[in-house]
C-alpha cells in the first residue's frame, strides 16, 4: 500500500528535475489523501535502508516552520515574496519552502489560487519550492493536508518553510498547529486590523509585522498595537513588533534577523513540541480514515438516516451499526 | 417657472394613465420580449423616458453650450461644422521600414494623423535581442531599438506637417526623446512638434500590463515629461489618460469613466506636488476612450465624462484656464466587441461604434478592422475601417449639428446616471487612499474582473446575445486572408542592433547612461538625460536598465 | 465535476500568460469558469517566461497547463513550453492554449503537442467539456 509513496520518496531524494516532480506528486498525495500522512514515515524508513550514510534516521525537519497570517489586503503575499528573497540572500545554500493557502469556493469546491503571482520571480530558483493549496474544507479540513505538505517540504531539505494562510476564518488559528512561530501582518488603512486583533488573532501571534510603513497611519497603528499589547496581553515571551515595507523591501533584512534570533532562542523547545504534534497528526489520520469509512457506509445505507428521523432507531444505534459494517467490509478487503 | 412645473406634472399624470391603460393592456396580451431590459453595462433601461425636471430647470448649469463649461455638449463652439475629427488609424508592425510604408499609404488614403503601434518589447523597454523578447519582436507593432530605427520610421514624413500619436507608456520618455531627436535631424525644432504620447502608466497596472517600474518612479517620469514639454514641446499632448484598456479588460461604461478620471486625478496631484501649476500642464492632458455598440449608452458616457471632468478640474483643483477644464478625447472602437465568428459582421459593429464616438463628440477616432479578432489587419480591411469613418463624416448628416442627441430624455437621464456612478467610484478610490493605493490593494482590478465575469456569464446563459456567437451561428470555413508578420524580424532587429553598437562611441554611451543612473537617484528632471543618451544611439533596453537599477521592477497584484 | 469525493482530489490546472502581452481578461475568465467547474486553478499572472511556467507547473503538480497569448508569439512560446516539459520529464502534463490565434496556426500547434486551442468566444461549457475529455 505504501509502495507508491516509497517510490516517490526515493526519487524525491535524488538529484535533477525529476526529484522536483516526485516532491510535487508527494505533496498532492498528502493533500488528496491526508490520512496517509503516517505512511510518509514508513516510506522514509524504507528508502533509508541502503542509503543510511546519506540519510538521517528521522525525516529531516526544517529549522523553522513560519506561519504568516493577517487581514486580506495587508500584503501577506508581498511580504512572503520579500522574505523568500531575503532568506535566499542571507542563506544562499539553503532551501526555502512556501505553502500558500487560499480559500475555495463553497459552492463548487473549485478555487483560483493566485498567491504565486507575487512570487513568480522565484519560480526558476531551484532552492525555492512554492506550493499553492486551497482550504478544501472537507475530510479533515485544512490542517492535515497542510501538515503533510509541510512534512514533504522538510523531507526535501527546506531550511525554512513559510505557511501563508488566508486571513479569515479558522485557518489562522489552525496554522498554530503547524508553525513554530506565527507572524501576524497588519497594515495601515485596513480598518479591521485592530478589530482582527481583538477577535482572537492576538493569542496566536509570536510577532507582529506592520507592513506599508511608508503609508500614512503606520505610526498610529504602531502606537495602537503597542498599547493594546500592553493592556490586554500577558504572554511570557517577548512579542516583537517590526515595521516593514514589503513592496520596497525596507527592513525585511531586520525581520529575517529577528526571525533567526527568535528561532535560535526558542528552537530548543521545539523537538518535544514537534514530537507531540507528530502523535497528534497520527491520531488525526486514524480518525480521518475512520470517519471516511463510516461516511462511505452511511452513503450506501441512506435508510439509516431516514429511520433516525422517523424515530425507530437512535443516533447511537446507527453509529454502532455503521462501525460494525465498516469492520466487516474492511475485513473483506 | 410655475408653468413649466405644472407642465411636468401634467406629463407625469399622462404617463401614469398611459402605463395603466394602453401599456398594461398590451402587455397583458403580448408580454414584452424580456422581463428586464439593460444596457451592455447592465444599466436598467425603462420602457419610455419623459422630460426630467433638472434638465429643464438647470439647462445652463448641466448642459450649457458647446465650447463652454461644463462642456456636456462638446468642447468646441462649432464642433464638426468647423472641422471634422482627426481620422487616426493605429498602425505599426514588423520593422521600421515596413511600418514607414504603411504610414505613407495611410496618409495617401486620407488619414489625417499617424498613430504608431510599437511591439511589446519596445513598450516595456527590452531590446529585440533580449531573452524576454523571444517571439514578440515586430508582432503587435513596430520594433524600435534605437534612434536609428526611429529615423527610418519617419523617413520622408515631415514632422512639422503631421501630428503623431504614440501608444507608449512605461518607455514613453524614451520614445518622445527619439521623436524629438528625429525632428532635430529633419531640422524641425521641438516647439513645432505636435502629437500625443499615451504615457498613462496607471492603466497599465490596472488593465494593460506594459509596466516596468513601480508606481512612484513611474509617476515621477510622467511629471518630468509634463514639466519638460511645458517648456520645450508646448504643442505636445503629454498624456492620453486611457479608459479604453479598462473597458477592454471588461469594465462597464461607468467604471471606464470613473477609473479613468480617478487616474487623471492622480496625475494632476502628482504634478502639483512636484511644484507645477495646474493651468500650466492641464490644457495638454488628453483622454482616450472606447466606443462600444450600445450606441446611446456610449453617447451618454462621453457626455458624462466631459461634465464630470470639468467640474473636478474647476472645483477640486481650482483650475482657472477653461482649457484645463476640457476633456478632449481620442476614441477607438471596442476591440473586444469584434467576433472571430462571421468577421464581416464586425464592419457593421464598427459603423455603429463610429456613430457613437461622433455623436459623443470625439476629437479623433481609430476604427478597428473586421479581422482583428484573428490577427493584425490587412491593408484592405484597414481601408474599409477608414472608409466607415469617412461615410459617417460625409454622408450620414450627423456632423451638421452639434450634439444631436442632447435633449433626448433617455440620453440625458443616462448621462446623469453614469456621471453619478463614476463619481461614486472616484469617491471610493479617494477613500482607499488614492489610485496608487487602490491598485496596490487590487481594488480596481477586482472590480473590472467582476464586471468581465458577469458579462461573460450573461453570454454563456444567453441572457445577452452576440450575433454569430450565441445566436445566428453558421458553419464557416476560415477563408478570410489574414495578415502575417514575418517571423524573421527578430533576427533583422538583432543584426541592426549589432550594427548600431559598432557604429557608435561606446565610451560616450556609457558616460551618458551612467549620468542617467546617477540622476535617477536624485530629483532632477530625467528628460534631458534620456535625450542625451538617445542622441548617442543608446538602445531602449540600455536606457531602461540604467533606470531600473535605481527604480526596481513592478509586480502585479492579484486578489 | 472534477471532484472525486472518495479522495477529496481536485484536478489542478495552471493558467499562465507567457510572453509580454498584458491582456489578461481571457486568462482570468477561464480561471474563473474552471473554478466554477470544480477545478483548482493556479494562476500565475502576466509576462511569465516559459521557464517560470514550467517550473511552477511541476512544483504545483498540475495535470494541465493553459496558456493565453494575444500578441502573436504563440508559435515560439508554446513550443518552448512543450520543449521544457519534455526536458524536465513532465511531458504528460496536458497543454492547451487560447487567445488571438489565427486558425491557420492551429494545426501546427496541435502537431507540436498542444491538445486544444480555444479561440475568442468559445463557450465555457465547450472548454470544460474538452478539458474533461482530455483528462479521461
Amino acid at each position: 500500500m505504501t509502495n507508491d509513496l516509497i517510490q516517490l520518496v526515493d526519487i524525491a531524494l535524488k538529484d535533477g528535475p525529476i526529484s522536483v516532480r516526485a516532491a510535487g506528486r508527494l505533496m498532492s498525495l498528502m493533500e488528496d489523501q491526508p490520512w496517509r500522512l503516517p505512511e510518509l514515515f514508513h516510506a522514509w524508513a524504507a528508502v533509508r535502508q541502503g542509503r543510511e550514510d546519506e540519510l538521517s534516521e528521522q525525516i529531516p525537519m526544517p529549522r523553522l516552520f513560519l506561519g504568516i497570517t493577517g487581514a486580506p489586503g495587508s500584503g501577506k503575499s508581498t511580504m512572503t515574496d520579500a522574505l523568500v528573497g531575503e532568506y535566499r540572500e542571507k542563506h544562499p545554500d539553503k532551501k526555502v519552502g512556501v505553502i500558500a493557502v487560499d480559500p475555495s469556493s463553497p459552492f463548487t469546491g473549485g478555487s483560483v489560487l493566485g498567491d504565486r503571482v507575487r512570487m513568480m520571480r522565484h519560480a526558476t530558483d531551484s532552492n525555492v519550492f512554492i506550493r499553492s493549496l486551497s482550504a478544501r474544507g472537507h475530510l479533515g479540513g485544512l490542517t492535515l493536508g497542510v501538515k503533510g505538505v509541510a512534512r514533504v517540504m522538510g523531507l526535501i531539505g527546506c531550511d525554512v518553510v513559510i505557511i501563508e494562510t488566508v486571513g479569515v476564518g479558522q485557518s489562522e488559528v489552525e496554522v498554530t498547529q503547524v508553525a513554530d512561530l506565527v507572524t501576524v501582518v497588519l497594515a495601515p488603512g485596513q480598518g479591521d486590523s485592530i478589530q482582527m486583533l481583538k477577535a482572537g488573532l492576538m493569542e496566536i501571534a509570536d510577532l507582529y509585522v506592520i507592513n506599508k510603513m511608508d503609508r500614512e497611519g503606520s505610526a498610529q497603528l504602531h502606537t495602537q498595537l503597542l498599547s493594546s499589547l500592553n493592556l490586554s496581553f500577558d504572554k511570557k515571551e517577548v512579542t516583537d513588533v517590526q515595521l516593514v515595507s514589503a513592496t520596497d523591501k525596507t527592513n525585511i533584512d531586520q525581520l529575517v534577523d529577528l526571525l533567526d534570533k527568535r528561532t535560535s532562542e526558542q528552537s530548543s523547545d521545539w523537538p518535544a513540541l514537534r514530537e507531540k504534534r507528530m502523535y497528534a497528526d497520527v491520531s488525526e489520520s486514524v480518525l480521518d480514515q475512520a470517519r471516511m469509512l463510516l461516511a462511505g457506509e452511511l452513503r450506501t445505507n441512506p435508510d439509516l438516516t431516514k429511520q433516525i428521523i422517523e424515530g425507530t432507531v437512535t443516533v447511537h444505534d446507527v453509529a454502532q451499526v455503521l462501525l460494525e459494517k465498516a469492520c466487516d467490509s474492511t475485513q473483506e478487503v | 417657472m410655475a408653468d413649466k412645473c405644472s407642465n411636468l406634472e401634467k406629463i407625469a399624470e399622462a404617463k401614469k394613465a398611459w402605463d395603466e391603460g394602453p401599456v398594461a393592456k398590451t402587455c397583458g396580451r403580448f408580454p414584452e420580449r424580456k422581463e428586464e431590459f439593460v444596457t451592455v453595462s447592465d444599466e436598467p433601461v425603462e420602457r419610455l423616458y419623459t422630460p426630467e425636471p433638472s434638465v429643464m430647470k438647470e439647462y445652463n448649469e448641466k448642459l450649457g453650450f458647446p465650447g463652454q463649461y461644463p462642456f456636456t455638449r462638446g468642447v468646441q463652439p462649432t464642433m464638426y461644422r468647423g472641422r471634422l475629427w482627426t481620422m487616426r488609424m493605429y498602425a505599426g508592425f514588423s520593422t521600421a521600414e515596413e511600418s514607414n510604408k504603411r504610414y505613407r499609404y495611410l496618409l495617401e488614403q486620407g488619414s489625417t494623423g499617424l498613430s504608431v503601434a510599437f511591439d511589446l518589447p519596445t513598450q516595456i523597454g527590452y531590446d529585440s535581442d533580449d531573452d524576454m523578447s523571444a517571439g514578440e519582436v515586430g508582432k503587435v507593432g513596430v520594433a524600435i531599438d534605437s534612434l536609428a530605427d526611429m529615423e527610418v520610421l519617419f523617413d520622408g514624413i515631415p514632422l512639422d506637417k503631421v501630428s503623431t500619436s504614440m501608444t507608449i507608456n512605461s518607455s514613453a520618455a524614451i520614445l518622445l526623446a527619439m521623436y524629438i531627436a528625429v525632428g532635430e535631424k529633419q531640422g524641425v525644432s521641438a516647439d513645432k512638434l505636435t502629437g500625443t504620447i499615451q504615457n498613462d502608466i496607471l492603466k497599465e497596472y490596472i488593465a494593460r500590463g506594459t509596466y516596468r517600474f513601480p508606481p512612484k518612479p513611474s509617476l515621477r517620469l510622467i511629471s518630468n515629461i509634463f514639466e519638460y514639454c511645458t517648456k520645450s514641446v508646448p504643442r505636445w499632448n503629454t498624456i492620453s489618460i486611457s479608459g479604453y484598456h479598462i473597458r477592454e479588460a471588461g469594465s462597464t461604461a461607468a467604471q471606464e469613466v470613473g477609473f479613468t478620471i480617478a487616474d487623471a486625478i492622480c496625475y494632476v496631484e502628482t504634478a502639483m506636488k512636484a511644484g507645477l501649476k495646474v493651468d500650466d500642464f492641464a490644457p495638454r492632458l488628453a483622454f482616450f476612450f472606447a466606443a462600444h455598440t450600445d450606441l446611446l449608452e456610449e453617447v451618454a458616457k462621453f457626455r458624462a465624462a466631459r461634465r464630470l471632468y470639468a467640474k473636478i478640474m474647476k472645483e477640486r483643483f481650482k483650475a482657472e484656464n477653461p482649457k484645463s477644464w476640457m476633456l478632449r478625447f481620442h476614441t477607438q472602437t471596442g476591440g473586444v466587441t469584434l467576433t472571430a465568428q462571421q468577421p464581416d459582421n464586425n464592419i457593421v459593429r464598427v459603423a455603429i461604434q463610429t456613430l457613437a464616438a461622433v455623436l459623443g463628440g470625439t476629437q479623433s477616432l481609430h476604427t478597428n478592422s473586421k479581422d482583428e479578432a484573428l490577427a493584425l489587419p490587412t491593408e484592405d480591411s484597414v481601408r474599409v475601417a477608414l472608409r466607415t469613418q469617412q461615410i459617417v463624416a460625409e454622408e450620414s448628416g450627423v456632423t451638421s449639428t452639434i450634439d444631436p442627441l442632447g435633449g433626448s430624455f433617455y440620453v440625458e437621464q443616462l448621462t446623469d446616471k453614469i456621471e453619478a456612478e463614476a463619481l461614486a467610484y472616484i469617491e471610493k478610490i479617494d477613500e482607499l487612499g488614492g489610485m496608487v493605493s487602490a491598485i496596490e490593494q487590487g481594488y480596481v482590478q477586482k472590480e473590472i474582473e467582476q464586471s468581465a465575469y458577469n458579462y461573460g456569464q450573461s453570454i454563456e446563459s444567453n441572457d445577452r446575445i452576440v450575433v454569430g456567437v450565441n445566436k445566428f451561428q453558421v458553419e464557416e470555413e476560415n477563408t478570410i486572408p489574414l495578415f502575417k508578420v514575418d517571423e524573421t524580424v527578430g533576427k533583422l532587429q538583432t543584426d541592426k542592433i549589432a550594427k548600431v553598437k559598432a557604429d557608435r562611441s561606446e565610451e560616450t554611451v556609457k558616460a551618458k547612461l551612467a549620468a542617467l543612473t546617477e540622476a535617477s537617484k536624485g530629483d532632477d528632471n530625467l528628460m534631458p538625460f534620456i535625450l542625451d543618451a538617445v542622441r548617442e544611439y543608446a538602445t531602449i533596453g540600455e536606457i531602461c536598465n540604467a533606470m531600473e537599477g535605481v527604480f526596481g521592477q513592478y509586480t502585479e497584484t492579484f486578489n | 465535476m472534477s471532484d472525486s469525493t472518495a479522495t477529496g482530489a481536485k484536478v489542478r490546472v495552471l493558467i499562465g500568460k507567457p510572453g509580454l502581452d498584458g491582456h489578461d481578461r481571457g486568462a482570468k475568465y477561464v480561471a474563473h469558469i474552471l473554478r466554477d467547474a470544480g477545478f483548482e486553478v493556479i494562476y500565475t499572472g502576466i509576462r511569465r517566461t516559459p521557464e517560470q511556467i514550467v517550473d511552477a507547473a511541476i512544483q504545483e503538480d498540475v495535470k494541465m497547463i493553459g496558456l493565453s497569448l494575444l500578441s502573436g508569439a504563440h508559435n515560439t512560446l508554446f513550443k518552448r513550453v512543450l520543449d521544457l516539459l519534455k526536458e524536465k520529464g513532465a511531458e504528460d502534463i496536458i497543454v492547451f492554449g487560447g487567445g488571438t490565434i489565427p486558425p491557420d496556426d492551429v494545426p501546427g500547434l496541435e502537431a507540436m503537442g498542444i491538445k486544444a486551442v480555444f479561440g475568442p468566444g468559445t463557450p465555457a461549457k465547450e472548454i470544460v467539456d474538452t478539458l474533461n475529455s482530455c483528462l479521461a
Side-chain angles (χ1 to χ4, degrees):
Chain A
M1 190 167 173
T2 313
N3 282 345
D4 54 341
L5 268 166
I6 294 174
Q7 211 181 357
L8 286 172
V9 169
D10 190 39
I11 302 171
L13 293 169
K14 288 180 175 151
D15 287 332
I18 195 73
S19 65
V20 184
R21 192 93 214 272
R25 280 277 160 83
L26 271 175
M27 291 177 193
S28 297
L29 263 177
M30 289 299 107
E31 206 195 349
D32 294 343
Q33 302 169 33
W35 58 89
R36 295 185 65 189
L37 171 60
E39 288 177 47
L40 201 61
F41 309 131
H42 294 224
W44 175 266
V47 170
R48 192 172 170 267
Q49 281 182 0
R51 292 171 77 175
E52 282 98 344
D53 43 344
E54 186 194 342
L55 305 176
S56 60
E57 200 180 322
Q58 294 295 323
I59 285 194
M61 290 284 258
R63 188 164 51 92
L64 168 67
F65 281 119
L66 174 68
I68 294 185
T69 190
S74 55
K76 293 184 296 291
S77 305
T78 313
M79 213 191 69
T80 304
D81 168 73
L83 268 180
V84 171
E86 186 59 32
Y87 260 118
R88 291 286 299 122
E89 215 162 278
K90 193 176 173 193
H91 309 284
D93 307 325
K94 297 284 170 61
K95 199 178 252 189
V96 180
V98 175
I99 302 174
V101 187
D102 268 336
S104 56
S105 156
F107 305 109
T108 68
S111 49
V112 177
L113 311 176
D115 285 312
R116 259 194 180 268
V117 171
R118 279 261 150 217
M119 304 176 206
M120 281 305 278
R121 69 187 171 116
H122 304 297
T124 53
D125 181 346
S126 58
N127 277 327
V128 178
F129 201 119
I130 301 171
R131 182 72 176 204
S132 316
L133 299 186
S134 86
R136 289 180 186 174
H138 58 289
L139 294 174
L142 158 77
T143 330
L144 200 53
V146 172
K147 284 172 183 167
V149 173
R151 299 256 178 204
V152 179
M153 291 263 181
L155 180 143
I156 59 170
C158 291
D159 177 54
V160 173
V161 175
I162 301 172
I163 302 150
E164 181 201 321
T165 64
V166 279
V168 282
Q170 273 301 301
S171 54
E172 72 263 21
V173 179
E174 290 178 347
V175 77
T176 56
Q177 299 168 20
V178 196
D180 304 310
L181 292 176
V182 174
T183 303
V184 171
V185 185
L186 307 171
Q190 301 297 138
D192 43 359
S193 279
I194 293 296
Q195 281 307 322
M196 274 190 63
L197 286 179
K198 289 182 184 151
L201 265 188
M202 227 156 193
E203 283 76 18
I204 64 164
D206 294 291
L207 62 158
Y208 296 93
V209 170
I210 294 180
N211 191 16
K212 308 183 186 181
M213 59 178 282
D214 50 329
R215 285 277 168 75
E216 213 175 302
S218 62
Q220 195 194 353
L221 178 61
H222 193 188
T223 321
Q224 267 180 322
L225 175 62
L226 291 177
S227 78
S228 26
L229 288 175
N230 288 336
L231 283 178
S232 63
F233 201 51
D234 177 29
K235 205 174 177 180
K236 301 248 168 16
E237 298 101 281
V238 186
T239 305
D240 296 291
V241 179
Q242 176 71 54
L243 282 104
V244 305
S245 166
T247 316
D248 309 334
K249 321 258 185 303
T250 316
N251 287 357
I252 299 295
D253 49 347
Q254 291 181 24
L255 178 59
V256 169
D257 290 346
L258 177 64
L259 288 167
D260 280 347
K261 186 174 134 256
R262 291 286 294 265
T263 305
S264 58
E265 282 168 7
Q266 287 173 250
S267 59
S268 55
D269 299 340
W270 294 346
L273 188 69
R274 286 171 174 184
E275 193 177 321
K276 229 163 84 189
R277 281 177 181 166
M278 189 176 79
Y279 283 107
D281 292 352
V282 174
S283 314
E284 202 179 331
S285 304
V286 174
L287 291 174
D288 228 34
Q289 173 83 78
R291 197 181 303 126
M292 228 191 63
L293 289 171
L294 296 178
E297 289 301 332
L298 191 58
R299 254 202 312 276
T300 48
N301 296 287
D303 284 355
L304 291 173
T305 333
K306 207 176 148 210
Q307 286 165 21
I308 297 175
I309 294 167
E310 285 165 353
T312 49
V313 289
T314 65
V315 171
H316 184 264
D317 294 338
V318 170
Q320 274 210 309
V321 173
L322 288 180
L323 279 170
E324 280 158 24
K325 280 181 181 285
C327 287
D328 290 347
S329 55
T330 319
Q331 276 161 9
E332 279 161 30
V333 176
Chain B
M1 199 71 178
D3 273 358
K4 265 185 211 153
C5 287
S6 64
N7 205 4
L8 283 167
E9 276 161 27
K10 279 186 205 155
I11 295 171
E13 265 171 44
K15 186 173 180 227
K16 194 161 173 258
W18 173 74
D19 268 331
E20 288 164 359
V23 172
K25 198 173 152 202
T26 305
C27 288
R29 279 194 297 166
F30 310 104
E32 291 180 326
R33 286 183 293 113
K34 294 183 242 183
E35 269 182 30
E36 196 194 13
F37 287 76
V38 295
T39 69
V40 79
S41 300
D42 259 343
E43 295 283 357
V45 182
E46 288 172 30
R47 183 175 298 115
L48 184 82
Y49 289 84
T50 49
E52 202 265 327
S54 75
V55 173
M56 310 291 284
K57 281 191 218 158
E58 305 160 41
Y59 177 88
N60 286 348
E61 294 74 25
K62 288 185 76 170
L63 301 180
F65 291 85
Q68 287 177 3
Y69 187 85
F71 303 100
T72 311
R73 306 201 65 180
V75 290
Q76 299 297 340
T78 59
M79 288 303 290
Y80 308 132
R81 288 165 69 101
R83 203 181 134 260
L84 292 170
W85 63 93
T86 304
M87 299 180 192
R88 197 191 285 283
M89 302 299 279
Y90 184 50
F93 54 89
S94 180
T95 58
E97 286 83 356
E98 290 293 316
S99 296
N100 177 265
K101 273 190 227 159
R102 179 72 70 102
Y103 297 152
R104 291 179 183 217
Y105 170 82
L106 284 167
L107 292 170
E108 278 162 27
Q109 291 296 313
S111 260
T112 47
L114 293 179
S115 176
V116 182
F118 296 99
D119 73 357
L120 289 163
T122 307
Q123 292 189 46
I124 301 169
Y126 293 120
D127 285 341
S128 296
D129 58 1
D130 194 299
D131 282 347
M132 290 301 291
S133 306
E136 303 278 10
V137 179
K139 281 282 158 55
V140 303
V142 58
I144 300 292
D145 288 306
S146 72
L147 178 58
D149 294 319
M150 203 71 162
E151 289 164 3
V152 173
L153 188 67
F154 292 102
D155 183 41
I157 301 171
L159 298 195
D160 52 347
K161 300 262 160 37
V162 65
S163 90
T164 304
S165 165
M166 295 193 269
T167 298
I168 196 78
N169 295 279
S170 55
S171 51
I174 304 167
L175 271 297
L176 175 61
M178 286 184 181
Y179 196 80
I180 294 170
V182 172
E184 287 168 358
K185 303 226 160 186
Q186 285 189 2
V188 178
S189 58
D191 61 331
K192 302 231 166 47
L193 299 174
T194 58
T196 308
I197 40 173
Q198 199 162 75
N199 200 23
D200 171 9
I201 198 68
L202 292 172
K203 64 93 176 51
E204 298 296 329
Y205 302 130
I206 295 171
R208 190 166 172 272
T210 69
Y211 44 74
R212 175 91 180 225
F213 310 123
K216 222 163 141 188
S218 296
L219 287 169
R220 168 195 174 181
L221 274 169
I222 290 169
S223 261
N224 286 171
I225 293 171
F226 286 3
E227 186 190 36
Y228 184 85
C229 288
T230 304
K231 288 184 194 135
S232 309
V233 205
R235 297 170 66 197
W236 197 265
N237 294 312
T238 49
I239 194 166
S240 173
I241 306 163
S242 306
Y244 179 82
H245 315 92
I246 289 171
R247 189 69 183 276
E248 284 286 289
S251 82
T252 63
Q255 285 171 337
E256 182 186 359
V257 174
F259 296 154
T260 306
I261 295 182
D263 283 347
I265 290 171
C266 177
Y267 295 126
V268 172
E269 283 174 347
T270 307
M272 287 173 76
K273 253 184 226 158
L276 305 184
K277 288 206 190 79
V278 64
D279 283 320
D280 284 348
F281 64 89
R284 301 317 303 172
L285 307 181
F287 286 79
F288 173 22
F289 291 108
H292 279 217
T293 323
D294 193 324
L295 178 67
L296 299 172
E297 178 173 65
E298 292 299 272
V299 174
K301 173 187 83 180
F302 296 125
R303 301 171 87 248
R306 267 196 300 269
R307 184 161 69 206
L308 181 56
Y309 182 69
K311 283 188 199 163
I312 287 171
M313 292 308 285
K314 191 175 178 199
E315 288 164 18
R316 179 166 176 164
F317 294 113
K318 312 285 178 234
E320 287 167 4
N321 183 350
K323 286 206 161 83
S324 302
W325 307 332
M326 271 185 212
L327 181 140
R328 296 170 299 127
F329 66 97
H330 172 70
T331 306
Q332 180 169 339
T333 58
V336 290
T337 67
L338 302 176
T339 64
Q341 297 80 2
Q342 305 173 43
D344 285 344
N345 297 345
N346 292 328
I347 297 175
V348 182
R349 293 191 177 96
V350 169
I352 297 169
Q353 294 162 4
T354 301
L355 268 177
V358 171
L359 293 168
T362 194
Q363 275 58 63
S364 64
L365 177 62
H366 164 99
T367 34
N368 288 325
S369 303
K370 64 174 185 176
D371 44 2
E372 286 184 79
L374 297 163
L376 282 186
T378 64
E379 210 159 83
D380 285 345
S381 65
V382 170
R383 194 176 52 233
V384 174
L386 176 59
R387 295 288 181 259
T388 306
Q389 294 196 43
Q390 291 161 337
I391 290 168
V392 168
E394 308 287 350
E395 301 181 20
S396 75
V398 299
T399 52
S400 304
T401 185
I402 302 169
D403 188 29
L405 292 175
S408 148
F409 307 133
Y410 175 45
V411 171
E412 292 300 351
Q413 285 173 52
L414 195 51
T415 303
D416 289 355
K417 208 165 168 203
I418 292 176
E419 185 188 359
E421 280 175 33
L423 182 61
Y425 278 115
I426 291 170
E427 283 165 352
K428 171 75 189 173
I429 288 162
D430 283 340
E431 223 171 84
L432 291 172
M435 196 40 135
V436 170
S437 170
I439 290 169
E440 283 174 353
Q441 292 175 44
Y443 165 75
V444 184
Q445 299 94 309
K446 194 85 202 163
E447 287 291 302
I448 297 171
E449 206 181 301
Q450 188 61 48
S451 299
Y453 178 77
N454 294 345
Y455 180 82
Q457 292 293 301
S458 71
I459 292 172
E460 308 277 2
S461 63
N462 280 347
D463 285 341
R464 197 183 294 282
I465 298 301
V466 179
V467 172
V469 173
N470 59 352
K471 202 173 180 180
F472 311 117
Q473 302 98 317
V474 291
E475 281 296 315
E476 55 187 326
E477 296 218 352
N478 288 297
T479 47
I480 73 165
L482 292 179
F483 184 83
K484 271 205 166 17
V485 174
D486 191 346
E487 295 277 346
T488 61
V489 184
K491 174 83 178 62
L492 280 174
Q493 283 302 118
T494 302
D495 293 348
K496 280 205 243 170
I497 293 177
K499 188 169 177 309
V500 163
K501 285 188 178 170
D503 290 349
R504 66 183 190 182
S505 157
E506 222 39 50
E507 233 168 89
T508 320
V509 170
K510 261 190 201 142
K512 299 292 182 194
L513 291 172
L516 174 59
T517 302
E518 210 36 50
S520 303
K521 293 176 190 160
D523 293 326
D524 286 343
N525 191 319
L526 295 179
M527 270 307 287
F529 294 92
I530 292 171
L531 195 51
D532 274 356
V534 159
R535 287 194 189 107
E536 298 299 329
Y537 294 87
T539 65
I540 190 163
E542 290 170 331
I543 296 174
C544 278
N545 290 339
M547 293 187 281
E548 191 176 83
V550 181
F551 294 162
Q553 265 206 22
Y554 177 78
T555 316
E556 72 181 293
T557 298
F558 179 80
N559 293 341
Chain C
M1 290 285 275
S2 24
D3 187 345
S4 155
T5 28
T7 63
K10 296 264 169 207
V11 177
R12 290 165 68 86
V13 186
L14 180 138
I15 298 288
K17 278 190 63 59
L20 299 179
D21 91 82
H23 299 102
D24 55 8
R25 177 180 185 166
K28 284 179 173 168
Y29 187 69
V30 168
H32 284 130
I33 62 172
L34 293 181
R35 172 202 65 190
D36 292 350
F39 289 82
E40 222 163 76
V41 181
I42 290 103
Y43 181 71
T44 70
I46 64 169
R47 284 165 58 179
R48 303 311 181 190
T49 63
E51 286 78 5
Q52 289 174 327
I53 288 173
V54 167
D55 285 354
I58 291 174
Q59 290 190 348
E60 298 285 0
D61 190 32
V62 297
K63 286 260 182 334
M64 296 191 273
I65 299 175
L67 302 173
S68 163
L69 199 63
L70 283 81
S71 69
H74 45 271
N75 289 331
T76 311
L77 295 173
F78 285 14
K79 175 143 198 332
R80 181 87 187 117
V81 168
L82 291 168
D83 288 348
L84 284 166
L85 283 172
K86 202 165 196 181
E87 215 173 89
K88 303 197 175 209
E91 61 264 54
D92 56 300
I93 297 179
I94 293 163
V95 183
F96 61 97
T100 311
I101 292 171
D104 282 1
D105 287 356
V106 174
L109 293 173
E110 286 174 349
M112 72 171 75
I114 302 293
K115 283 288 176 331
V117 176
F118 303 109
T122 312
K125 191 177 176 305
E126 188 183 322
I127 295 175
V128 172
D129 289 350
T130 309
L131 296 186
N132 276 327
S133 72
C134 284
L135 287 166

